[in-house]
Amino acid sequence: GDSVTQMEGPVTLSEEAFLTINCTYTATGYPSLFWYVQYPGEGLQLLLKATKADDKGSNKGFEATYRKETTSFHLEKGSVQVSDSAVYFCARGNNNDMRFGAGTRLTVKP
Amino acid sequence: DAGITQSPRHKVTETGTPVTLRCHQTENHRYMYWYRQDPGHGLRLIHYSYGVKDTDKGEVSDGYSVSRSKTEDFLLTLESATSSQTSVYFCAISESGGLIDGYTFGSGTRLTVV
């Protein structure tokens, strides 16, 4: 069935390092793709989205490009900060069917 | 998020008792969802609603029921709580069903069944 697979964590980086979190999906049709972020004790927050192939979503220095040919939506940031420490979830959405990856915990050290 | 609130935030209950969790929104969104979050599983959909009195099952609906008598409220009931239902429960809302706008999540309810 449809699913989302993202790289396992935890990921630990030093401040100002480059971040990549891989995400691939399987789906029928043409889903939208999302990255959500969850800080401790809170619900998920939408970080960025892309609704069609080759779209690039971006927010707060994070970027991800909808790659239909590789069914991927990898999250990147050029220079992470300590405040980016959180759990990141990749998701694909298609008419009331939002499927989430298992989450990747990122810790950024000063 | 100011537009969606969950209550209670924490609850401890005994096995076999009924439990109701409440989700309240002020955004007038049509779609509402209940998810549970467990380590290693991400979020899994329990039930969702696409309008007043219109609900449908998600992938882990056994042991749960829902009701939506008003646009703003979506209730999740554990009919007879079991230890396997210990989890963090999140409510989410959406204007378009998630295809365009994604979901907005509440802050969660941590439920412990002892």
Side-chain angles (χ1 to χ4, degrees):
Chain A
D2 295 359
S3 67
V4 177
T5 303
Q6 59 183 104
M7 64 184 286
E8 292 186 19
V11 174
T12 302
L13 296 173
S14 297
E15 203 164 25
E16 299 184 1
F18 184 85
L19 168 71
T20 299
I21 301 178
N22 290 338
C23 172
T24 58
Y25 67 93
T26 62
T28 54
Y30 303 96
S32 296
L33 300 175
F34 305 87
W35 277 100
Y36 290 84
V37 59
Q38 184 179 33
Y39 300 101
E42 298 182 12
L44 279 69
Q45 301 173 23
L46 181 62
L47 179 60
L48 54 82
K49 66 180 181 181
T51 57
K52 61 182 187 297
D54 299 323
D55 270 2
K56 176 185 284 188
S58 62
N59 185 27
K60 300 181 181 180
F62 291 90
E63 294 183 339
T65 301
Y66 190 172
R67 302 287 189 198
K68 187 178 178 183
E69 64 276 13
T70 55
T71 62
S72 65
F73 192 55
H74 304 321
L75 182 69
E76 297 182 337
K77 186 174 185 181
S79 177
V80 294
Q81 305 301 312
V82 172
S83 58
D84 293 328
S85 298
V87 181
Y88 292 82
F89 291 90
C90 184
R92 74 110 185 89
N94 197 355
N95 287 334
N96 288 310
D97 188 16
M98 185 79 72
R99 300 292 178 108
F100 293 84
T104 301
R105 181 175 300 278
L106 170 66
T107 301
V108 181
K109 296 188 174 180
Chain B
D1 192 291
I4 177 172
T5 55
Q6 293 184 231
S7 58
R9 290 297 311 275
H10 302 272
K11 186 170 181 65
V12 179
T13 192
E14 294 185 350
T15 299
T17 61
V19 177
T20 295
L21 310 182
R22 181 180 184 238
C23 178
H24 179 77
Q25 62 147 328
T26 58
E27 304 296 323
N28 201 36
H29 284 347
R30 175 181 177 185
Y31 301 94
M32 299 185 75
Y33 310 85
W34 277 107
Y35 282 86
R36 59 178 290 173
Q37 183 178 32
D38 303 290
H41 290 277
L43 278 80
R44 294 179 291 175
L45 181 65
I46 304 171
H47 283 280
Y48 69 96
S49 170
Y50 46 96
V52 174
K53 297 186 179 179
D54 290 325
T55 65
D56 207 348
K57 296 179 179 180
E59 62 181 309
V60 290
S61 60
D62 287 349
Y64 302 94
S65 62
V66 290
S67 66
R68 192 167 178 202
S69 59
K70 299 184 290 184
T71 298
E72 57 266 36
D73 290 325
F74 193 33
L75 304 180
L76 176 71
T77 297
L78 287 65
E79 294 141 7
S80 177
T82 68
S83 58
S84 64
Q85 294 175 312
T86 293
S87 186
V88 181
Y89 291 85
F90 287 100
C91 178
I93 60 175
S94 170
E95 192 168 19
S96 71
L99 189 59
I100 302 297
D101 59 339
Y103 293 174
T104 300
F105 284 84
S107 298
T109 295
R110 182 174 295 277
L111 177 68
T112 303
V113 183
V114 298

Short mmCIF file of all heavy atoms in Angstrom, two decimals, chain B residues 11-66:
data_model
loop_
_atom_site.label_atom_id
_atom_site.label_comp_id
_atom_site.label_asym_id
_atom_site.label_seq_id
_atom_site.Cartn_x
_atom_site.Cartn_y
_atom_site.Cartn_z
N LYS B 11 -4.11 12.34 30.83
CA LYS B 11 -5.12 11.55 31.55
C LYS B 11 -4.57 10.18 31.86
O LYS B 11 -3.92 9.55 31.02
CB LYS B 11 -6.41 11.41 30.74
CG LYS B 11 -7.53 10.72 31.53
CD LYS B 11 -8.84 10.80 30.82
CE LYS B 11 -9.94 10.13 31.66
NZ LYS B 11 -10.18 10.84 32.93
N VAL B 12 -4.84 9.72 33.08
CA VAL B 12 -4.53 8.36 33.49
C VAL B 12 -5.86 7.70 33.80
O VAL B 12 -6.69 8.25 34.54
CB VAL B 12 -3.62 8.34 34.73
CG1 VAL B 12 -3.33 6.89 35.13
CG2 VAL B 12 -2.32 9.09 34.45
N THR B 13 -6.07 6.53 33.22
CA THR B 13 -7.33 5.83 33.43
C THR B 13 -7.06 4.35 33.64
O THR B 13 -5.97 3.85 33.33
CB THR B 13 -8.27 6.04 32.23
OG1 THR B 13 -9.58 5.59 32.58
CG2 THR B 13 -7.79 5.26 31.00
N GLU B 14 -8.06 3.65 34.15
CA GLU B 14 -7.90 2.23 34.42
C GLU B 14 -8.41 1.39 33.25
O GLU B 14 -9.34 1.78 32.53
CB GLU B 14 -8.65 1.84 35.69
CG GLU B 14 -8.05 2.48 36.94
CD GLU B 14 -8.71 2.00 38.21
OE1 GLU B 14 -9.76 1.32 38.12
OE2 GLU B 14 -8.18 2.29 39.30
N THR B 15 -7.82 0.24 33.09
CA THR B 15 -8.26 -0.71 32.07
C THR B 15 -9.74 -1.00 32.21
O THR B 15 -10.23 -1.22 33.33
CB THR B 15 -7.45 -2.01 32.19
OG1 THR B 15 -6.07 -1.72 31.98
CG2 THR B 15 -7.91 -3.04 31.17
N GLY B 16 -10.44 -0.98 31.06
CA GLY B 16 -11.86 -1.31 31.07
C GLY B 16 -12.79 -0.13 31.20
O GLY B 16 -14.01 -0.28 31.02
N THR B 17 -12.27 1.03 31.50
CA THR B 17 -13.13 2.21 31.65
C THR B 17 -13.27 2.94 30.32
O THR B 17 -12.36 2.90 29.49
CB THR B 17 -12.59 3.18 32.69
OG1 THR B 17 -11.29 3.63 32.27
CG2 THR B 17 -12.46 2.52 34.05
N PRO B 18 -14.39 3.61 30.09
CA PRO B 18 -14.53 4.43 28.88
C PRO B 18 -13.83 5.77 29.07
O PRO B 18 -13.79 6.31 30.19
CB PRO B 18 -16.04 4.60 28.74
CG PRO B 18 -16.55 4.47 30.13
CD PRO B 18 -15.63 3.54 30.86
N VAL B 19 -13.29 6.28 27.99
CA VAL B 19 -12.58 7.56 28.03
C VAL B 19 -12.98 8.36 26.80
O VAL B 19 -13.06 7.81 25.70
CB VAL B 19 -11.05 7.35 27.99
CG1 VAL B 19 -10.32 8.68 27.96
CG2 VAL B 19 -10.60 6.52 29.17
N THR B 20 -13.23 9.65 27.00
CA THR B 20 -13.53 10.53 25.87
C THR B 20 -12.55 11.68 25.82
O THR B 20 -12.34 12.35 26.83
CB THR B 20 -14.97 11.07 25.96
OG1 THR B 20 -15.89 9.98 25.84
CG2 THR B 20 -15.25 12.06 24.83
N LEU B 21 -11.97 11.86 24.65
CA LEU B 21 -11.07 12.98 24.39
C LEU B 21 -11.80 13.97 23.49
O LEU B 21 -12.53 13.58 22.57
CB LEU B 21 -9.79 12.50 23.73
CG LEU B 21 -9.06 11.33 24.39
CD1 LEU B 21 -7.77 11.02 23.62
CD2 LEU B 21 -8.78 11.62 25.85
N ARG B 22 -11.52 15.26 23.74
CA ARG B 22 -12.22 16.29 22.98
C ARG B 22 -11.27 17.11 22.14
O ARG B 22 -10.16 17.45 22.58
CB ARG B 22 -12.97 17.22 23.93
CG ARG B 22 -13.76 18.33 23.23
CD ARG B 22 -14.46 19.20 24.24
NE ARG B 22 -15.30 20.23 23.61
CZ ARG B 22 -15.16 21.53 23.79
NH1 ARG B 22 -14.21 21.99 24.57
NH2 ARG B 22 -15.96 22.38 23.19
N CYS B 23 -11.71 17.43 20.95
CA CYS B 23 -10.99 18.33 20.05
C CYS B 23 -11.94 19.46 19.67
O CYS B 23 -13.05 19.19 19.20
CB CYS B 23 -10.52 17.60 18.81
SG CYS B 23 -9.65 18.64 17.62
N HIS B 24 -11.49 20.68 19.85
CA HIS B 24 -12.30 21.86 19.55
C HIS B 24 -11.54 22.79 18.62
O HIS B 24 -10.39 23.11 18.86
CB HIS B 24 -12.64 22.59 20.85
CG HIS B 24 -13.45 23.83 20.66
ND1 HIS B 24 -14.81 23.81 20.41
CD2 HIS B 24 -13.10 25.14 20.65
CE1 HIS B 24 -15.25 25.04 20.27
NE2 HIS B 24 -14.24 25.86 20.41
N GLN B 25 -12.20 23.23 17.54
CA GLN B 25 -11.56 24.15 16.60
C GLN B 25 -12.39 25.42 16.43
O GLN B 25 -13.61 25.41 16.58
CB GLN B 25 -11.40 23.48 15.23
CG GLN B 25 -12.72 23.10 14.58
CD GLN B 25 -12.72 23.19 13.07
OE1 GLN B 25 -12.03 24.03 12.49
NE2 GLN B 25 -13.51 22.34 12.42
N THR B 26 -11.69 26.49 16.15
CA THR B 26 -12.34 27.78 15.91
C THR B 26 -12.13 28.25 14.48
O THR B 26 -12.40 29.40 14.16
CB THR B 26 -11.81 28.84 16.89
OG1 THR B 26 -10.38 28.96 16.72
CG2 THR B 26 -12.13 28.47 18.33
N GLU B 27 -11.63 27.36 13.61
CA GLU B 27 -11.31 27.73 12.23
C GLU B 27 -12.44 27.44 11.24
O GLU B 27 -12.34 27.79 10.07
CB GLU B 27 -10.05 26.98 11.78
CG GLU B 27 -8.86 27.19 12.68
CD GLU B 27 -8.39 28.63 12.69
OE1 GLU B 27 -8.45 29.29 11.63
OE2 GLU B 27 -7.99 29.12 13.76
N ASN B 28 -13.48 26.77 11.71
CA ASN B 28 -14.60 26.40 10.83
C ASN B 28 -14.16 25.51 9.67
O ASN B 28 -14.75 25.54 8.58
CB ASN B 28 -15.30 27.65 10.28
CG ASN B 28 -16.72 27.35 9.82
OD1 ASN B 28 -17.42 26.54 10.41
ND2 ASN B 28 -17.14 27.99 8.74
N HIS B 29 -13.12 24.68 9.91
CA HIS B 29 -12.68 23.75 8.86
C HIS B 29 -13.60 22.55 8.80
O HIS B 29 -14.10 22.07 9.81
CB HIS B 29 -11.25 23.28 9.15
CG HIS B 29 -10.23 24.32 8.84
ND1 HIS B 29 -10.48 25.46 8.12
CD2 HIS B 29 -8.91 24.39 9.15
CE1 HIS B 29 -9.39 26.19 7.99
NE2 HIS B 29 -8.41 25.55 8.62
N ARG B 30 -13.76 22.08 7.58
CA ARG B 30 -14.68 20.96 7.36
C ARG B 30 -14.14 19.63 7.90
O ARG B 30 -14.88 18.80 8.39
CB ARG B 30 -14.97 20.84 5.86
CG ARG B 30 -15.82 19.66 5.49
CD ARG B 30 -16.03 19.58 3.99
NE ARG B 30 -16.81 18.39 3.63
CZ ARG B 30 -17.06 18.02 2.38
NH1 ARG B 30 -16.61 18.73 1.37
NH2 ARG B 30 -17.76 16.93 2.14
N TYR B 31 -12.83 19.42 7.72
CA TYR B 31 -12.25 18.12 8.00
C TYR B 31 -11.56 18.10 9.36
O TYR B 31 -10.81 19.01 9.69
CB TYR B 31 -11.23 17.75 6.92
CG TYR B 31 -11.82 17.70 5.53
CD1 TYR B 31 -11.77 18.81 4.69
CD2 TYR B 31 -12.44 16.55 5.07
CE1 TYR B 31 -12.32 18.78 3.42
CE2 TYR B 31 -12.98 16.50 3.80
CZ TYR B 31 -12.92 17.62 2.98
OH TYR B 31 -13.48 17.58 1.73
N MET B 32 -11.78 17.02 10.10
CA MET B 32 -11.12 16.83 11.38
C MET B 32 -10.64 15.38 11.49
O MET B 32 -11.29 14.47 10.93
CB MET B 32 -12.05 17.17 12.56
CG MET B 32 -12.52 18.63 12.53
SD MET B 32 -13.50 19.10 13.98
CE MET B 32 -12.22 19.23 15.25
N TYR B 33 -9.54 15.17 12.22
CA TYR B 33 -8.88 13.86 12.26
C TYR B 33 -8.42 13.55 13.68
O TYR B 33 -8.04 14.45 14.43
CB TYR B 33 -7.64 13.86 11.35
CG TYR B 33 -7.90 14.37 9.95
CD1 TYR B 33 -7.86 15.74 9.67
CD2 TYR B 33 -8.18 13.50 8.91
CE1 TYR B 33 -8.10 16.22 8.40
CE2 TYR B 33 -8.42 13.97 7.63
CZ TYR B 33 -8.38 15.34 7.38
OH TYR B 33 -8.62 15.80 6.11
N TRP B 34 -8.40 12.27 13.98
CA TRP B 34 -7.75 11.80 15.20
C TRP B 34 -6.63 10.84 14.81
O TRP B 34 -6.85 9.88 14.06
CB TRP B 34 -8.72 11.06 16.11
CG TRP B 34 -9.53 11.97 16.98
CD1 TRP B 34 -10.85 12.28 16.87
CD2 TRP B 34 -9.07 12.68 18.14
NE1 TRP B 34 -11.24 13.14 17.86
CE2 TRP B 34 -10.16 13.41 18.66
CE3 TRP B 34 -7.84 12.78 18.78
CZ2 TRP B 34 -10.07 14.22 19.79
CZ3 TRP B 34 -7.73 13.58 19.91
CH2 TRP B 34 -8.83 14.29 20.41
N TYR B 35 -5.43 11.11 15.35
CA TYR B 35 -4.27 10.26 15.15
C TYR B 35 -3.75 9.81 16.52
O TYR B 35 -3.94 10.48 17.53
CB TYR B 35 -3.13 11.03 14.47
CG TYR B 35 -3.29 11.22 12.99
CD1 TYR B 35 -4.01 12.30 12.48
CD2 TYR B 35 -2.70 10.34 12.10
CE1 TYR B 35 -4.13 12.48 11.10
CE2 TYR B 35 -2.81 10.51 10.73
CZ TYR B 35 -3.53 11.58 10.25
OH TYR B 35 -3.65 11.76 8.89
N ARG B 36 -3.04 8.69 16.50
CA ARG B 36 -2.25 8.33 17.66
C ARG B 36 -0.79 8.27 17.26
O ARG B 36 -0.47 7.92 16.11
CB ARG B 36 -2.70 7.01 18.27
CG ARG B 36 -2.65 5.81 17.38
CD ARG B 36 -3.08 4.53 18.13
NE ARG B 36 -2.09 4.13 19.14
CZ ARG B 36 -2.28 3.14 20.01
NH1 ARG B 36 -3.41 2.46 20.02
NH2 ARG B 36 -1.34 2.82 20.89
N GLN B 37 0.09 8.63 18.19
CA GLN B 37 1.52 8.65 17.92
C GLN B 37 2.21 7.71 18.89
O GLN B 37 2.12 7.85 20.11
CB GLN B 37 2.09 10.06 18.08
CG GLN B 37 3.58 10.13 17.73
CD GLN B 37 4.15 11.52 17.83
OE1 GLN B 37 3.72 12.34 18.64
NE2 GLN B 37 5.12 11.83 16.99
N ASP B 38 2.91 6.76 18.33
CA ASP B 38 3.65 5.78 19.11
C ASP B 38 5.07 5.67 18.57
O ASP B 38 5.28 5.77 17.34
CB ASP B 38 2.96 4.41 19.02
CG ASP B 38 1.51 4.46 19.47
OD1 ASP B 38 1.31 4.64 20.68
OD2 ASP B 38 0.61 4.35 18.62
N PRO B 39 6.04 5.44 19.44
CA PRO B 39 7.43 5.32 18.99
C PRO B 39 7.60 4.29 17.89
O PRO B 39 7.08 3.18 17.99
CB PRO B 39 8.17 4.90 20.26
CG PRO B 39 7.32 5.40 21.38
CD PRO B 39 5.90 5.28 20.90
N GLY B 40 8.30 4.67 16.83
CA GLY B 40 8.56 3.76 15.73
C GLY B 40 7.42 3.63 14.72
O GLY B 40 7.59 2.99 13.68
N HIS B 41 6.28 4.25 15.00
CA HIS B 41 5.13 4.14 14.10
C HIS B 41 4.74 5.46 13.47
O HIS B 41 3.84 5.49 12.63
CB HIS B 41 3.92 3.57 14.84
CG HIS B 41 4.06 2.14 15.22
ND1 HIS B 41 3.79 1.11 14.35
CD2 HIS B 41 4.46 1.56 16.37
CE1 HIS B 41 4.01 -0.05 14.95
NE2 HIS B 41 4.42 0.19 16.17
N GLY B 42 5.36 6.53 13.84
CA GLY B 42 4.91 7.82 13.32
C GLY B 42 3.51 8.10 13.82
O GLY B 42 3.16 7.80 14.96
N LEU B 43 2.68 8.65 12.96
CA LEU B 43 1.29 8.91 13.30
C LEU B 43 0.40 7.99 12.50
O LEU B 43 0.60 7.80 11.29
CB LEU B 43 0.92 10.36 12.99
CG LEU B 43 1.32 11.38 14.05
CD1 LEU B 43 2.78 11.73 13.91
CD2 LEU B 43 0.46 12.63 13.94
N ARG B 44 -0.60 7.44 13.16
CA ARG B 44 -1.54 6.56 12.49
C ARG B 44 -2.95 7.08 12.67
O ARG B 44 -3.35 7.44 13.79
CB ARG B 44 -1.42 5.13 13.02
CG ARG B 44 -0.08 4.47 12.69
CD ARG B 44 0.01 3.07 13.26
NE ARG B 44 0.10 3.09 14.71
CZ ARG B 44 0.09 2.00 15.47
NH1 ARG B 44 -0.03 0.81 14.92
NH2 ARG B 44 0.19 2.12 16.78
N LEU B 45 -3.71 7.08 11.60
CA LEU B 45 -5.04 7.64 11.60
C LEU B 45 -6.04 6.69 12.27
O LEU B 45 -6.11 5.51 11.93
CB LEU B 45 -5.48 7.93 10.17
CG LEU B 45 -6.87 8.55 9.99
CD1 LEU B 45 -6.91 9.95 10.61
CD2 LEU B 45 -7.23 8.60 8.51
N ILE B 46 -6.82 7.24 13.19
CA ILE B 46 -7.83 6.44 13.89
C ILE B 46 -9.19 6.60 13.21
O ILE B 46 -9.81 5.62 12.79
CB ILE B 46 -7.93 6.87 15.37
CG1 ILE B 46 -6.56 6.78 16.06
CG2 ILE B 46 -8.94 5.99 16.11
CD1 ILE B 46 -6.53 7.39 17.45
N HIS B 47 -9.67 7.81 13.16
CA HIS B 47 -10.93 8.16 12.48
C HIS B 47 -10.80 9.57 11.93
O HIS B 47 -9.99 10.35 12.40
CB HIS B 47 -12.11 8.16 13.47
CG HIS B 47 -12.64 6.82 13.85
ND1 HIS B 47 -13.50 6.09 13.07
CD2 HIS B 47 -12.44 6.09 14.98
CE1 HIS B 47 -13.82 4.97 13.68
NE2 HIS B 47 -13.18 4.94 14.84
N TYR B 48 -11.66 9.89 10.99
CA TYR B 48 -11.72 11.26 10.53
C TYR B 48 -13.17 11.64 10.24
O TYR B 48 -14.06 10.79 10.15
CB TYR B 48 -10.83 11.50 9.31
CG TYR B 48 -11.28 10.84 8.04
CD1 TYR B 48 -12.03 11.53 7.10
CD2 TYR B 48 -10.91 9.52 7.76
CE1 TYR B 48 -12.42 10.93 5.92
CE2 TYR B 48 -11.30 8.92 6.58
CZ TYR B 48 -12.05 9.61 5.66
OH TYR B 48 -12.44 9.02 4.49
N SER B 49 -13.39 12.94 10.10
CA SER B 49 -14.72 13.46 9.82
C SER B 49 -14.64 14.44 8.65
O SER B 49 -13.73 15.27 8.59
CB SER B 49 -15.28 14.17 11.05
OG SER B 49 -16.45 14.88 10.73
N TYR B 50 -15.61 14.34 7.76
CA TYR B 50 -15.67 15.25 6.62
C TYR B 50 -16.90 16.14 6.67
O TYR B 50 -17.29 16.75 5.66
CB TYR B 50 -15.59 14.48 5.29
CG TYR B 50 -16.49 13.28 5.20
CD1 TYR B 50 -17.74 13.37 4.59
CD2 TYR B 50 -16.08 12.05 5.70
CE1 TYR B 50 -18.56 12.26 4.49
CE2 TYR B 50 -16.90 10.93 5.61
CZ TYR B 50 -18.13 11.04 5.01
OH TYR B 50 -18.95 9.94 4.91
N GLY B 51 -17.50 16.22 7.84
CA GLY B 51 -18.62 17.11 8.05
C GLY B 51 -19.39 16.69 9.29
O GLY B 51 -19.12 15.62 9.87
N VAL B 52 -20.37 17.50 9.69
CA VAL B 52 -21.18 17.17 10.85
C VAL B 52 -21.88 15.83 10.62
O VAL B 52 -22.51 15.62 9.57
CB VAL B 52 -22.21 18.27 11.13
CG1 VAL B 52 -23.15 17.86 12.25
CG2 VAL B 52 -21.51 19.57 11.49
N LYS B 53 -21.69 14.94 11.55
CA LYS B 53 -22.26 13.59 11.55
C LYS B 53 -21.71 12.70 10.43
O LYS B 53 -22.22 11.58 10.24
CB LYS B 53 -23.79 13.65 11.48
CG LYS B 53 -24.42 14.33 12.69
CD LYS B 53 -25.94 14.26 12.67
CE LYS B 53 -26.50 14.93 13.92
NZ LYS B 53 -27.99 14.91 13.94
N ASP B 54 -20.69 13.14 9.74
CA ASP B 54 -20.05 12.35 8.69
C ASP B 54 -18.66 11.94 9.14
O ASP B 54 -17.76 12.79 9.23
CB ASP B 54 -19.95 13.15 7.39
CG ASP B 54 -21.30 13.37 6.75
OD1 ASP B 54 -22.15 12.46 6.85
OD2 ASP B 54 -21.50 14.44 6.16
N THR B 55 -18.49 10.64 9.40
CA THR B 55 -17.19 10.16 9.86
C THR B 55 -16.81 8.88 9.12
O THR B 55 -17.67 8.22 8.53
CB THR B 55 -17.19 9.89 11.37
OG1 THR B 55 -18.09 8.82 11.66
CG2 THR B 55 -17.60 11.13 12.16
N ASP B 56 -15.53 8.55 9.19
CA ASP B 56 -15.07 7.32 8.56
C ASP B 56 -13.87 6.78 9.32
O ASP B 56 -13.21 7.52 10.07
CB ASP B 56 -14.69 7.57 7.10
CG ASP B 56 -14.83 6.32 6.24
OD1 ASP B 56 -15.01 5.21 6.83
OD2 ASP B 56 -14.76 6.43 5.01
N LYS B 57 -13.60 5.48 9.12
CA LYS B 57 -12.53 4.82 9.85
C LYS B 57 -11.19 5.06 9.20
O LYS B 57 -11.07 5.18 7.99
CB LYS B 57 -12.80 3.32 9.92
CG LYS B 57 -14.05 2.94 10.69
CD LYS B 57 -14.25 1.44 10.68
CE LYS B 57 -15.50 1.06 11.46
NZ LYS B 57 -15.71 -0.42 11.47
N GLY B 58 -10.15 5.07 10.06
CA GLY B 58 -8.79 5.09 9.59
C GLY B 58 -8.18 3.71 9.72
O GLY B 58 -8.87 2.71 9.84
N GLU B 59 -6.84 3.66 9.73
CA GLU B 59 -6.15 2.37 9.72
C GLU B 59 -6.13 1.66 11.06
O GLU B 59 -5.89 0.45 11.11
CB GLU B 59 -4.73 2.55 9.19
CG GLU B 59 -3.86 3.46 10.04
CD GLU B 59 -2.45 3.62 9.46
OE1 GLU B 59 -1.81 2.59 9.16
OE2 GLU B 59 -2.00 4.78 9.35
N VAL B 60 -6.37 2.36 12.18
CA VAL B 60 -6.31 1.73 13.50
C VAL B 60 -7.57 2.07 14.29
O VAL B 60 -7.51 2.56 15.42
CB VAL B 60 -5.04 2.13 14.27
CG1 VAL B 60 -3.81 1.51 13.63
CG2 VAL B 60 -4.89 3.64 14.37
N SER B 61 -8.74 1.81 13.75
CA SER B 61 -9.99 2.26 14.36
C SER B 61 -10.58 1.30 15.40
O SER B 61 -11.48 1.68 16.16
CB SER B 61 -11.03 2.49 13.26
OG SER B 61 -11.26 1.29 12.55
N ASP B 62 -10.11 0.07 15.46
CA ASP B 62 -10.69 -0.90 16.39
C ASP B 62 -10.56 -0.43 17.82
O ASP B 62 -9.48 -0.05 18.28
CB ASP B 62 -10.01 -2.26 16.24
CG ASP B 62 -10.41 -2.97 14.97
OD1 ASP B 62 -11.36 -2.52 14.32
OD2 ASP B 62 -9.76 -3.97 14.64
N GLY B 63 -11.67 -0.45 18.57
CA GLY B 63 -11.66 -0.03 19.96
C GLY B 63 -11.94 1.45 20.17
O GLY B 63 -11.98 1.91 21.31
N TYR B 64 -12.14 2.17 19.06
CA TYR B 64 -12.40 3.61 19.12
C TYR B 64 -13.69 3.94 18.39
O TYR B 64 -14.02 3.31 17.39
CB TYR B 64 -11.28 4.41 18.44
CG TYR B 64 -9.90 4.20 19.00
CD1 TYR B 64 -9.04 3.26 18.44
CD2 TYR B 64 -9.43 4.97 20.06
CE1 TYR B 64 -7.76 3.08 18.93
CE2 TYR B 64 -8.14 4.81 20.55
CZ TYR B 64 -7.32 3.86 19.98
OH TYR B 64 -6.04 3.70 20.46
N SER B 65 -14.38 4.97 18.89
CA SER B 65 -15.51 5.53 18.17
C SER B 65 -15.40 7.05 18.23
O SER B 65 -14.67 7.60 19.06
CB SER B 65 -16.84 5.08 18.77
OG SER B 65 -16.96 5.53 20.10
N VAL B 66 -16.09 7.71 17.31
CA VAL B 66 -16.03 9.17 17.24
C VAL B 66 -17.42 9.73 17.05
O VAL B 66 -18.35 9.03 16.62
CB VAL B 66 -15.13 9.66 16.09
CG1 VAL B 66 -13.65 9.38 16.37
CG2 VAL B 66 -15.56 9.08 14.76
#
